[in-house]
């Protein structure tokens, strides 16, 4: 853009301001016309405020308040808390808060543009504004609800109980940016179920309503805009947790379930409301969770992991233009500070501060970092935060991404008081480079030995050698068909994709290919491994970020070669979903995959920072995690770190957790649109009224890498009630939409595939029945109408989502049905008939090959045999119905002496062998059919058991 275009924008801003004669007159009188025009030139948002809000802007300018130095006092005087009782209704409160926000932002913009405010002044003013607005919303609604419902009183002290609003993140550190979200958590210091003074509600219900009102007052968009966007996902249990929690429950949570990332989050927590005594109680409660009394070197591993996640996200999202999340950005400066606080804070109370500035001052005093490094970090922080404000005050948008629009680049340069945008970028690069260097050295990474001399392989790749010599070099590496291997290499080298590869990408490949060739020699089959690797490289060659990942991480190369050499399925997954290459950087891929708790934590971390209403991003995150865990489990299986049983357990846990997350996403989406459903006791909560029953492999803990999920939806809602709006539905309509939405989200196919194929045909009356059934209707069907094959399926069913009361209700239905409604006189006959029909339709065995799953003596025969025994003996041993897996049933039947030693050992061995074989075939992408003689000893035992138990049929 030429300077004349920038000057033209100045003229446009000037003319726009002159349209308001009253405003222009005051600006001229105060000699502020030049400043006002420059501000509008830089910020369309400021121009909008100046031309649309003269009712409150004129007094600011006329009374010389616009550049007020003591803005915190001004905020308090503009909306005094002691006069809140004069606000008559909720709409007026919303209007007052939004007007205060607009006035404050305009004053900040004015001073920022003219260079009259320091960064520290600005972020403290914004944080104080948020504190004051929260205080106002809290006090007004607390008073209103207390009058309507009664005041919460502590049963022991008989004193009023107040709400503790925790400011987290930048709000907690008094470091808000110009257009920040505010992260909040709500607590109260009293028993949850103590009733209010008038006895109508308990504390939890009262404070939940209060919290909802506060969020609406701050977050809701009205004709006057909003105050701050509110994010509540840092609370215990995230979105699935209660909106408000007692301190007693919070203490138990952080002691027993608090995650490492929550230590980071709580480090910035600051109590905004509440009495001094209540604040002190909270800080005493949370301090042992955040800080250890010793120097916490044990946190180093988690720091490495968080550092890895930061780098991984930057790579995955290509965040080079993001000054917060990108390499050398704001988050890395914060991470360095918080890491030192966690390591040393238990022994040094001065480090126990929410403020980044105060923390770095103490880090300097304690000489935890060299003074020069701290000066560089703070200078970079100052520059990046000022740049962040410049980006955001252009249009009042929450952004940290550098602009691509040339006009906005001019605006940013002007706001940064630099000659041009190139100068801005040059200074930015200098700061980010210094931060990146310090961030990289803070937690030392593992070092790796240098690769041996591979110059001949470089010559092979660059076709410097004669073809016969190149073949000889590959033959030395162990390639059986070296000519074919060389042909694969050359085809890749001359492929269309590589012709369009940039210079940097070609350089990376030139370094990478010889290393790959040299390392492939250590695999069992170099020829197959090379073919798979080249297929993968073809898939990612257009994405230089992935080439960089492999080029710069020798350990990732070794892991990739190992995975591709051992599994065709893994190789295909990596080629189909290159984003999974990130996982090759993760040291956990070489370890036991996870337990359920760590998996839940990992998924929560992936979701917590995504916008709560961005369904697409949340679902993509879940799909990526699913693929990532598949890769991790498969890696552990092929390296024999876990057995087939643990594979199934892990994949079943994964399916359950993802199903739960999708259910919560669907519930949130529907309640935003239709309001929350109601029951006779008031608002209905998801886990209390909705249950998901897992059948088949999900129910029996036997999920595989590509398994479907067989589920049935049940609910406990009364159809006479409706949702709370804005669009009202009956309870039955709402719960039907919930089931439909879950199925849609689970099965939706995107660039990352889909989560699971969902099958609901096991619901009452199958495809002709209701998608979501009431518990009573489900009970009646199972007891009175279900067929024998449905009773078989019910043996493997369990409640995978729902609170303990719903789980108990389902278990009672299952127990009653299977103990009282099964026709045991025809049980054997029915099972044989069903198995015969099934084998006729799906058994793929022939004279040469045998189907290990559906063939005679195969896996399904074992499953039917186990179900027969469960149905036959459950009246005598009802506890057998508490389990749903073959392996547990087998142990119980042996314990009850219903099967002998030989049968127990044979069934256990054959079942495990079949499943191991099927998993192996899937990982190698081979046909699952075996030659007829392969499993003959196992098959004969299973067929003999069938003959013995069903010979009369």
């Amino acid at each position: 853009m030429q300077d004349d275009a920038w000057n033209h924008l100045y003229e446009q801003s000037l003319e726009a301001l002159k349209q308001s004669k009253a405003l222009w007159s005051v600006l001229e009188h105060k000699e502020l016309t030049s400043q006002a025009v420059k501000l509008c030139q830089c910020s369309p948002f400021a121009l909008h405020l100046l031309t649309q809000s003269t009712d409150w802007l004129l007094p600011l300018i006329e009374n010389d308040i616009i550049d007020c130095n003591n803005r915190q006092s001004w905020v308090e005087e503009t909306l005094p808390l002691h006069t809140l009782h004069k606000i008559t209704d909720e709409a007026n409160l919303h209007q007052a808060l939004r007007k205060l926000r607009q006035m404050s932002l305009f004053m900040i913009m004015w001073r920022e543009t003219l260079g009259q405010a320091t960064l520290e002044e600005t972020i403290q003013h914004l944080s104080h504004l948020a504190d004051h607005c929260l205080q106002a919303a809290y006090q007004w609604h607390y008073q209103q609800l207390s009058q309507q419902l009664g005041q919460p009183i502590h049963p022991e002290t008989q004193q009023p109980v107040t709400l503790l609003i925790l400011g987290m993140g930048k709000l907690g550190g008094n470091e808000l940016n110009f257009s920040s979200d505010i992260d909040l958590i709500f607590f109260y210091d009293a028993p949850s179920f103590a009733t209010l003074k008038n006895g109508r509600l308990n504390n939890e219900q009262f404070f939940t309503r209060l919290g909802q009102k506060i969020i609406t007052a701050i977050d809701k968009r009205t004709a006057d805009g909003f105050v701050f966007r509110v994010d509540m996902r840092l609370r215990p249990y995230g979105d699935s947790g209660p909106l408000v929690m007692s301190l007693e429950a919070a203490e138990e949570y952080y002691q027993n379930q608090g995650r490492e990332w929550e230590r980071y989050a709580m480090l910035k927590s600051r109590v905004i409301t509440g009495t001094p005594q209540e604040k002190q109680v909270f800080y005493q409660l949370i301090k042992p969770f955040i800080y250890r009394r010793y120097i916490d070197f044990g946190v180093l591993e988690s720091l490495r992991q968080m550092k890895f996640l930061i780098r991984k996200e930057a790579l995955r999202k290509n965040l080079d233009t993001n000054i917060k999340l990108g390499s050398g950005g704001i988050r890395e400066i914060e991470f360095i500070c918080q890491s030192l606080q966690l390591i040393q804070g238990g022994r040094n109370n001065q480090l126990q501060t929410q403020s980044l500035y105060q923390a770095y001052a103490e880090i300097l005093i304690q000489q935890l970092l060299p003074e020069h490094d701290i000066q560089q970090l703070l200078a970079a922080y100052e520059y990046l935060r000022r740049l962040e404000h410049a980006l955001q005050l252009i249009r009042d948008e929450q952004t940290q991404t550098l602009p691509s629009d040339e006009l906005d680049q001019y605006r940013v340069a002007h706001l940064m008081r630099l000659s041009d945008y190139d100068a801005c970028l040059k200074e930015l690069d200098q700061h980010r480079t210094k931060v990146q260097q310090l961030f990289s050295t803070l937690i030392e990474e593992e070092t790796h030995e240098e690769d041996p001399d591979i110059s001949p392989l470089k010559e092979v790749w660059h076709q410097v050698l004669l073809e016969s010599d190149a073949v000889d070099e590959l033959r030395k590496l162990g390639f059986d068909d070296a000519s074919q291997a060389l042909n694969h290499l050359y085809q890749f080298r001359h492929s269309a994709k590589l012709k369009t590869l940039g210079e940097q990408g070609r350089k990376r490949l030139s370094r990478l290919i010889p290393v790959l060739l040299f390392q492939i020699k250590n695999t069992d089959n170099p020829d197959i491994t090379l073919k798979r690797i080249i297929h993968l490289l073809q898939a990612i060659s257009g994405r230089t970020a992935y080439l960089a990942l492999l080029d710069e991480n020798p350990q990732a190369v070794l892991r990739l070669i190992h995975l591709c050499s051992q599994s065709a399925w893994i190789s295909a997954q990596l080629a189909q979903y290159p984003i999974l290459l990130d996982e090759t950087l993760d040291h956990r891929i070489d370890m036991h995959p996870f337990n359920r708790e760590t998996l839940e934590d990992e998924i929560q971390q992936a979701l917590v920072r995504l916008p709560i209403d961005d369904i697409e991003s949340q679902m993509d995150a879940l799909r990526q995690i699913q693929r990532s865990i598949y890769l991790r489990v498969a890696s552990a299986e092929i390296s024999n770190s876990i057995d087939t049983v643990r594979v199934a357990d892990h994949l079943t846990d994964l399916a359950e957790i993802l199903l739960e997350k999708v259910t919560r996403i669907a519930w949130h989406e529907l309640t935003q649109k239709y309001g929350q459903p109601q029951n006779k006791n008031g608002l209905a909560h998801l886990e209390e009224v909705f249950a998901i029953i897992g059948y088949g492999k999900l129910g029996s803990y036997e999920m595989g890498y590509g398994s479907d999920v067989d589920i049935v939806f049940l609910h406990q809602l009364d159809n006479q009630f409706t949702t709370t709006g804005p669009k009202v539905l009956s309870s039955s309509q709402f719960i039907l939409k919930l089931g439909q939405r879950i199925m849609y989200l689970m099965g939706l196919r995107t660039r990352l595939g889909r989560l699971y194929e969902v099958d609901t045909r096991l619901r009452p009356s199958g495809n002709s029945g209701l998608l979501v059934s009431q518990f009573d209707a489900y009970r009646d069907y199972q007891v009175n109408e279900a067929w024998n094959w449905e009773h078989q399926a019910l043996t493997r069913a369990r409640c995978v989502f729902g609170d303990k009361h719903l789980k108990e209700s389902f278990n009672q239905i299952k127990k009653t049905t299977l103990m009282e409604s099964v026709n045991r006189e025809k049980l054997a006959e029915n099972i044989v008939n069903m198995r015969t029909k099934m084998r006729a339709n799906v058994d793929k065995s022939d004279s040469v090959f045998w189907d290990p799953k559906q063939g005679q003596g195969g896996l399904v025969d074992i499953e039917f045999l186990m179900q027969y025994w469960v149905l036959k003996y459950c009246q005598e041993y009802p506890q057998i119905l508490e389990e749903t897996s073959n392996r547990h049933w087998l142990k119980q039947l042996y314990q009850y002496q219903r099967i002998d030693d030989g049968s127990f050992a044979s069934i256990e061995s054959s079942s495990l062998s079949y499943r191991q074989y099927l998993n192996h075939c899937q990982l190698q992408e081979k046909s699952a059919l075996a030659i007829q003689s392969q499993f003959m000893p196992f098959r004969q035992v299973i067929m003999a058991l069938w003959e013995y138990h069903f010979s009369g049929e």
Side-chain angles (χ1 to χ4, degrees):
M1 177 183 290
Q2 302 298 320
D3 287 342
D4 56 352
W6 179 246
N7 293 332
H8 179 65
L9 180 61
Y10 181 93
E11 295 299 327
Q12 286 182 319
S13 302
L14 177 65
E15 289 303 316
L17 288 177
K18 284 184 177 180
Q19 295 299 314
S20 175
K21 295 181 179 179
L23 173 64
W24 187 251
S25 175
V26 173
L27 289 172
E28 281 191 313
H29 176 69
K30 294 292 183 179
E31 299 181 348
L32 298 174
T33 54
S34 177
Q35 295 94 317
V37 177
K38 287 180 180 178
L39 173 59
C40 295
Q41 192 181 16
C42 291
S43 171
F45 176 58
L47 177 61
H48 171 78
L49 289 180
L50 273 166
T51 56
Q52 303 297 320
S53 307
T54 54
D55 57 325
W56 54 260
L57 266 173
L58 286 177
L60 284 181
I61 300 170
E62 287 175 333
N63 298 320
D64 298 321
I65 300 173
I66 195 168
D67 58 355
C68 172
N69 288 321
N70 193 353
R71 285 168 285 170
Q72 294 192 10
S73 296
W74 175 83
V75 166
E76 294 166 0
E77 292 167 3
T78 303
L79 185 62
L81 297 179
H82 68 273
T83 63
L84 288 175
H85 63 277
K86 297 179 181 178
I87 296 178
T88 56
D89 59 34
E90 198 168 353
N92 287 334
L93 174 68
H94 290 183
Q95 188 176 43
L97 293 173
R98 284 149 184 76
K99 180 178 177 182
L100 178 64
R101 187 244 188 192
Q102 291 181 351
M103 295 167 74
S104 294
L105 290 192
F106 186 82
M107 293 166 65
I108 292 169
M109 285 191 294
W110 186 273
R111 292 173 63 84
E112 286 269 329
T113 307
L114 301 179
Q116 296 175 346
T118 67
L119 172 66
E120 202 163 358
E121 288 173 348
T122 297
I123 61 179
Q124 287 180 357
H125 178 207
L126 286 163
S127 301
H128 179 74
L129 172 66
D131 285 1
H132 190 78
C133 290
L134 286 166
Q135 285 273 11
Y138 161 64
Q139 291 189 21
W140 193 87
H141 281 297
Y142 184 89
Q143 184 65 31
Q144 294 293 314
L145 288 177
S146 294
Q147 291 175 1
Q148 298 168 17
L149 306 172
Q151 189 175 31
I153 300 294
H154 198 289
E156 296 177 5
T157 65
Q158 294 301 307
Q159 295 298 311
V161 181
T162 59
L163 181 69
L164 300 181
I165 300 179
L166 267 65
M168 308 292 289
K170 285 185 168 60
L171 176 58
N174 284 302
E175 297 155 359
L176 281 187
N177 62 41
F178 185 81
S179 189
S180 278
D181 295 353
I182 56 174
D183 295 287
L184 304 177
I185 301 179
F186 298 149
F187 293 127
Y188 57 92
D189 185 19
S192 300
F193 296 101
T195 56
L196 306 186
K197 194 171 184 179
N198 67 353
R200 289 177 57 191
L201 296 177
N202 60 40
N203 281 329
E204 182 179 17
Q205 293 168 321
F206 178 89
F207 285 113
T208 297
R209 293 193 187 187
L210 177 59
Q212 291 168 339
K213 290 287 187 182
I214 293 170
I215 292 170
T216 300
I218 302 298
D219 183 89
K220 182 180 180 180
R221 286 187 178 272
T222 70
D224 300 303
F226 65 98
V227 187
F228 290 95
R229 289 171 290 267
V230 175
D231 193 329
M232 298 295 301
R233 287 173 293 168
L234 292 180
R235 69 187 188 266
Y237 305 106
D239 282 340
S240 62
L243 184 67
V244 189
M245 182 179 280
S246 71
L247 284 184
E248 181 181 7
E251 182 174 24
E252 181 178 352
Y253 172 83
Y254 289 114
Q255 283 181 356
N256 300 319
Q257 301 184 53
R259 310 291 198 262
E260 200 64 40
W261 67 267
E262 287 177 296
R263 289 182 64 193
Y264 278 80
M266 274 295 165
L267 188 148
K268 302 286 282 187
S269 63
R270 177 173 59 86
V271 184
I272 296 170
T273 63
T275 66
Q277 293 79 11
E278 289 171 328
K279 292 181 180 180
Q280 185 62 29
V281 169
F282 169 75
Y283 287 128
Q284 289 176 348
L285 175 156
I286 205 64
K287 180 179 175 180
F289 170 66
I290 305 172
Y291 300 104
R292 308 297 190 242
R293 287 181 293 178
Y294 45 84
I295 297 178
D296 191 6
F297 292 110
V299 80
L300 290 176
E301 182 55 35
S302 67
L303 295 179
R304 287 193 182 96
Q305 180 59 20
M306 293 189 73
K307 180 179 177 181
F308 158 72
L309 291 173
I310 290 171
R311 284 181 167 176
K312 177 178 175 180
E313 182 180 10
L315 173 68
R316 180 171 65 86
K317 295 185 177 179
N318 191 21
L319 296 173
D320 286 346
T321 59
N322 189 301
I323 64 170
K324 176 184 178 183
L325 304 178
S327 180
I330 295 169
R331 184 169 63 175
E332 292 186 2
I333 300 173
E334 295 170 339
F335 178 84
I336 292 170
C337 178
Q338 293 170 347
S339 299
L340 292 170
Q341 285 181 275
L342 285 184
I343 293 171
Q344 301 281 350
R347 296 280 295 271
N348 183 350
N349 290 341
Q350 297 304 311
L351 280 170
Q352 297 177 11
T353 175
Q354 299 95 343
S355 166
L356 179 139
Y357 285 112
Q358 293 177 17
Y360 269 122
E362 186 61 26
I363 288 169
L364 176 60
I365 292 172
Q366 298 296 321
Q367 299 182 344
L368 301 178
L369 284 178
E371 181 177 358
H372 177 67
D373 290 351
I374 295 174
Q375 289 174 347
Q376 287 186 333
L377 288 169
L378 290 177
Y381 184 74
E382 179 90 14
Y383 186 85
L384 288 165
R385 291 300 306 272
R386 284 181 49 233
L387 179 56
E388 178 184 48
H389 287 174
L391 296 172
Q392 293 177 352
L393 65 80
I394 294 175
R395 292 181 183 84
D396 187 25
E397 293 176 343
Q398 172 69 338
T399 181
Q400 287 93 12
T401 301
L402 295 172
S404 56
D405 178 76
E406 200 169 0
L407 177 57
D408 284 349
Q409 291 174 352
Y410 257 70
R411 286 169 166 148
V412 168
H414 185 85
L415 289 166
M416 294 299 290
R417 296 181 286 284
L418 292 170
S419 57
D420 55 44
Y421 189 63
D422 287 340
C424 178
L425 291 180
K426 182 179 179 180
E427 189 169 350
L428 172 64
D429 288 341
Q430 291 171 350
H431 286 302
R432 291 177 69 171
T433 299
K434 292 173 183 176
V435 173
Q436 183 182 17
Q437 291 170 349
L438 290 169
F439 179 74
S440 296
T441 57
L442 173 65
I443 304 296
E444 292 295 336
E445 301 290 345
E446 298 178 15
T447 57
H448 306 281
E449 295 182 5
E450 292 185 1
D451 291 330
D453 182 16
I454 56 172
S455 56
L457 300 178
K458 292 180 181 178
E459 294 174 348
V460 169
W461 172 246
H462 288 290
Q463 292 184 269
V464 174
L465 299 178
L466 293 174
E467 185 170 328
S468 59
D469 292 336
V471 169
D472 286 341
E473 290 295 337
L474 293 181
R475 190 174 289 117
K476 291 177 187 177
L477 294 177
F479 288 93
D480 292 332
D481 192 345
S483 296
Q484 185 63 35
L486 186 65
N487 186 44
H488 287 318
L489 270 178
Y490 286 171
Q491 285 182 353
F492 175 53
R493 177 177 173 81
H494 297 291
S495 63
K497 279 192 175 182
L498 261 63
K499 290 179 181 178
T500 62
L501 194 62
E503 181 181 357
Q504 187 63 31
R506 287 195 293 272
K507 286 181 178 179
R508 292 192 183 281
L509 268 181
S510 295
R511 291 191 296 267
L512 180 60
I513 294 294
V515 173
L516 285 167
L517 288 172
F518 186 81
Q519 297 296 344
I520 284 172
K521 71 181 177 60
N522 298 316
T523 64
D524 295 335
N525 194 325
D527 298 80
I528 291 177
T529 303
L530 178 62
K531 187 176 180 180
R532 292 172 183 172
I533 291 285
I534 288 178
H535 177 62
L536 171 60
L537 291 175
Q538 286 173 331
I540 68 170
S541 57
R543 300 284 298 276
T544 55
Y546 292 123
L547 295 179
L549 183 152
L550 296 173
D551 179 34
E552 297 171 5
N553 294 276
Q555 196 63 37
V557 172
L558 293 177
R559 289 177 179 138
L560 176 65
I561 291 171
H562 172 70
L563 293 173
C564 289
S565 70
Q566 294 296 310
S567 171
W569 181 83
I570 291 178
S571 175
Q573 288 288 299
L574 290 170
Q576 186 174 4
Y577 309 110
I579 200 169
L580 294 177
L581 279 172
D582 292 344
E583 297 302 315
T584 60
L585 277 174
D586 191 343
H587 66 91
R588 292 174 301 178
I589 203 168
D590 295 333
M591 303 163 57
H592 187 281
F594 52 80
N595 56 42
R596 183 168 183 132
E597 181 178 313
T598 58
L599 177 57
E600 288 178 334
D601 182 39
E602 188 173 339
I603 294 176
Q604 181 63 19
Q605 286 190 56
L607 295 179
V608 71
R609 301 313 301 168
L610 294 174
I612 193 168
D613 294 319
D614 189 348
I615 307 300
E616 182 178 349
S617 293
Q618 292 185 69
M619 290 305 303
D620 270 350
L622 294 181
R623 293 184 193 99
Q624 183 178 342
I625 286 174
Q626 182 202 45
R627 300 291 173 185
S628 167
I629 298 302
Y630 278 179
L631 181 65
R632 210 181 301 169
V633 173
S635 174
E637 183 176 12
I638 61 179
S639 63
N640 296 317
S641 297
I642 56 174
D643 61 19
T644 303
V645 172
R646 293 304 297 156
V647 169
D649 285 344
H650 287 323
L651 297 182
T652 302
D653 284 341
L654 174 64
E656 279 190 53
I657 297 169
L658 292 177
L659 182 57
E660 178 213 339
K661 295 301 181 186
V662 171
T663 300
R664 296 191 186 284
I665 289 171
W667 175 271
H668 173 78
E669 186 180 15
L670 292 176
T671 53
Q672 291 294 105
K673 187 174 183 179
Y674 301 108
Q676 201 163 341
Q678 301 174 91
N679 256 353
K680 59 183 178 181
N681 296 323
L683 293 179
H685 298 286
L686 174 59
E687 301 93 331
E688 298 173 358
V689 297
F690 185 73
I692 301 177
I693 311 305
Y695 278 77
K697 291 184 178 180
L698 177 61
S700 60
Y701 299 94
E702 294 175 350
M703 291 290 289
Y705 297 106
S707 296
D708 300 347
V709 291
D710 296 290
I711 53 178
V712 168
F713 300 128
L714 302 179
H715 75 92
Q716 198 76 293
L717 283 172
D718 191 330
N719 286 336
Q720 66 178 307
F721 292 97
T722 64
T723 60
T724 57
K727 294 182 179 179
V728 176
L729 292 179
S730 69
S731 295
S732 59
Q733 290 173 314
F734 179 90
I735 213 69
L736 173 61
K737 285 184 178 292
L738 178 62
Q740 292 170 333
R741 192 61 180 164
I742 292 169
M743 291 185 64
Y744 172 79
L745 292 175
M746 291 283 284
L748 178 64
R749 188 179 292 278
T750 69
R751 62 184 179 87
L752 290 170
R754 64 185 173 201
L755 280 179
Y756 296 96
E757 181 72 35
V758 178
D759 192 335
T760 61
R761 288 175 294 177
L762 288 172
R763 67 185 187 266
S765 302
N767 284 337
S768 62
L770 294 173
L771 179 62
V772 189
S773 301
Q774 283 187 314
F775 266 83
D776 289 344
Y778 179 80
R779 177 188 297 106
D780 290 344
Y781 179 86
Q782 293 294 341
V783 171
N784 300 314
E785 300 181 46
W787 295 79
N788 186 78
W789 65 265
E790 290 177 288
H791 292 155
Q792 281 183 250
L794 189 59
T795 62
R796 304 170 75 187
R798 61 192 177 87
C799 184
V800 297
F801 181 85
D803 70 8
K804 64 178 182 180
H805 300 295
L806 295 187
K807 289 180 179 179
E808 289 170 359
S809 296
F810 170 75
N811 289 338
Q812 187 58 50
I813 293 173
K814 176 179 175 179
K815 184 177 180 181
T816 300
T817 300
L818 299 184
M819 290 181 65
E820 300 178 5
S821 300
V822 174
N823 185 347
R824 286 174 176 78
E825 292 182 2
K826 291 190 175 183
L827 178 59
E829 177 186 350
N830 289 333
I831 284 183
V832 169
N833 289 339
M834 176 56 64
R835 184 70 189 105
T836 302
K837 290 178 183 178
M838 180 184 291
R839 185 177 292 118
N841 290 320
V842 295
D843 185 4
K844 299 176 183 177
S845 305
D846 56 28
S847 60
V848 178
F849 295 105
W850 174 71
D851 187 341
K853 182 177 180 181
Q854 294 290 349
Q856 277 192 302
L859 195 59
V860 176
D861 277 359
I862 295 175
E863 292 174 354
F864 271 54
L865 189 59
M866 298 302 300
Q867 291 163 20
Y868 166 71
W869 282 332
V870 169
L871 293 174
K872 181 177 180 180
Y873 296 124
C874 64
Q875 287 181 323
E876 189 175 355
Y877 308 107
Q879 57 268 39
I880 202 171
L881 297 177
E882 296 174 6
E883 300 292 349
T884 58
S885 68
N886 287 333
R887 66 180 186 271
H888 287 110
W889 288 337
L890 189 62
K891 291 177 182 178
Q892 288 176 308
L893 290 165
Y894 179 67
Q895 179 184 346
Y896 304 148
Q897 298 182 347
R898 289 300 177 178
I899 56 175
D900 57 28
D901 292 357
S903 297
F904 174 82
S906 297
I907 293 173
E908 185 177 50
S909 299
S910 57
S911 177
L912 185 60
S913 296
Y914 294 159
R915 291 172 63 189
Q916 285 176 334
Y917 173 79
L918 291 171
N919 274 13
H920 173 77
C921 289
Q922 183 170 9
L923 290 177
Q924 294 304 329
E925 294 194 327
K926 293 167 50 179
S927 167
L929 295 179
I931 59 175
Q932 279 285 349
S933 61
Q934 186 167 350
F935 292 100
M936 189 55 73
F938 289 136
R939 295 167 58 191
Q940 289 174 338
V941 171
I942 302 305
M943 288 189 290
L945 284 170
W946 264 77
E947 179 67 20
Y948 176 78
H949 287 283
F950 301 118
S951 58
E953 304 306 326

